[in-house]
Amino acid sequence: MDILQTILALIVTLGILVTIHEFGHFWVARRCGVRVLRFSVGFGNPIFSRYDRHGTEFAVAAIPLGGYVKMLDEREGPVPEEQRHEAFTSKPPGKRIAIAAAGPAANFIFAIAAYWLLSVVGFTTVAPIAGDITEGSIADAMGLRSGMEIHQVDGRKVTSWRDINMRLLERAGEDSSISLTVSDGQGERTLRAGLDGWQLPDDNPNPLSQFGLTPLRPDVPAVIGEVVPGGRAQAGGLQAGDRVLAVDGEPVADWFELVERIQQSPEQSQQWRVERSGSEQVLEVTPASRTVDGTEQGHVGAGVAQVDWPDEMLRDVRYGPVAAIPNALSETWSDTRLTLVAIQKMITGLLSPTNLSGPITIARVAEASVSSGFEDFVRFLAYLSVSLGILNLLPIPVLDGGHILYYTIEAVRRRPLSEQVQAFGLRIGMAMILTLMVFALYNDLMRL
């Protein structure tokens, strides 16, 4: 069932983003007088299609890993003389550039619209208040202490732990100083510390943890909220509502300590003392084994009972329709900056290429964001849309950016590049894209 949910989440996510991207190409092509033959979401044989009054076929194909807009093009076959003026190749370079750039532009517009919608609808976020600080870490060196609320990172406003994670990701591998604007009972002030080439591990990057910062969280008692059918928790007799008091005779302080005990004991029998309906009993539970980021861990198939966050740890974020516009632009620029910085750091070696993700990771994150709720899913879509727009603008033949490069050269030279040069560039571009795809898929498999 989990695999089916993950696959469905991937299909929905890619379907939304591909449709938006290709609609950009389609919309501008129509307005530039180009005849569009097919608008397809997915590759392969259509499983559904219909034609509009302009003769364009709108199709949903069997392989949901992309899409395309097929236009009348003299490079793909003879074009009747009476239709030649509607061919893509008959248009001047400026119009062809506009059509190629329209797909990425649609991705950015979608991101802005998504962030605007979230800003207007509003959402509740956990305040970024520091919890435990790791001794000797960068957070410790700058004087960050438990109970301080973080308001800015490097002078840029943050309202959630997600915002802080994004800002820290941007700074990975750098030597300059970082600043946090914080507040506590003594007022607001700015803390600074040098990064000294601060790096994130390749296998499991966690900016907050590696920075030495743990979010403040309410007490989470070791109470079972749900039991997964067929899991080791159910096999051991656990039920929803059970409070775990001890494991192998050692008291359990909270849910996080219980999880740690489980993870450290794959396929090892444990004696759990639980409280159920006012009475205590001992159950035998054997955590199953699974590999997480190359490490063997135990798990039992149980979820924590929901804990309500105290009001003082929550922040309501909401903007008016007009005020939401600059906020949406700022959020989109932050995503754009993060993606550009990540690409630059991968090229220069400051960030490991193992952070590159493929369809498996996208599917897992998509499923997690869908499960987390509307806000997380919309944010994930917006970020992925920005990344898709930027990657498509890279000047690599096969991508939109490569086409834009060719058409720009043609506009400057007043004649197109030779077919031999374009074909050579196409082969290089295909090799680069296939290499990236294989590498990203390899990284995905290594994370399983």
Side-chain angles (χ1 to χ4, degrees), residues 128-153 161 164 168 178-184 189-193 207-209 211-216:
I129 302 174
D132 293 335
I133 305 298
T134 304
E135 186 176 353
S137 65
I138 298 175
D140 183 40
M142 68 173 18
L144 190 64
R145 296 295 177 259
S146 178
M148 291 182 174
E149 181 172 355
I150 303 172
H151 300 285
Q152 295 181 359
V153 177
W161 287 113
I164 296 174
L168 293 179
I178 185 171
S179 68
L180 302 183
T181 301
V182 302
S183 66
D184 56 13
R189 59 187 182 277
T190 299
L191 310 175
R192 288 184 174 83
L208 285 176
S209 177
F211 194 73
L213 172 60
T214 301
L216 183 66

Side-chain angles (χ1 to χ4, degrees), residues 188-205:
E188 188 172 292
R189 59 187 182 277
T190 299
L191 310 175
R192 288 184 174 83
L195 290 172
D196 300 324
W198 174 63
Q199 291 281 354
L200 298 176
D202 299 341
D203 54 350
N204 186 26

Side-chain angles (χ1 to χ4, degrees), residues 36-53:
V36 180
L37 303 178
R38 174 182 286 177
F39 183 125
S40 178
V41 177
F43 298 112
N45 295 325
I47 56 178
F48 167 81
S49 69
R50 71 173 184 83
Y51 290 85
D52 68 1
R53 60 187 179 87

Side-chain angles (χ1 to χ4, degrees), residues 396-398 421-435:
I396 300 174
V398 178
V421 171
Q422 293 191 46
F424 179 71
L426 181 65
R427 287 194 291 271
I428 293 177
M430 286 291 293
M432 293 176 66
I433 296 302
L434 286 174
T435 300

Side-chain angles (χ1 to χ4, degrees), residues 1 3 14 19 30 36 40 47 63 67 69 124-125 159 175 179 208 210 242 271 284 293 297 329 380-381 410 425:
M1 180 62 73
I3 294 177
L14 290 182
T19 301
R30 277 270 181 92
V36 180
S40 178
I47 56 178
I63 305 174
V69 170
T124 300
T125 185
T159 59
D175 293 310
S179 68
L208 285 176
Q210 273 93 50
D242 287 351
Q271 301 296 315
E284 183 175 342
D293 296 322
Q297 294 183 357
L329 292 171
F380 174 69
L381 279 178
E410 179 182 343

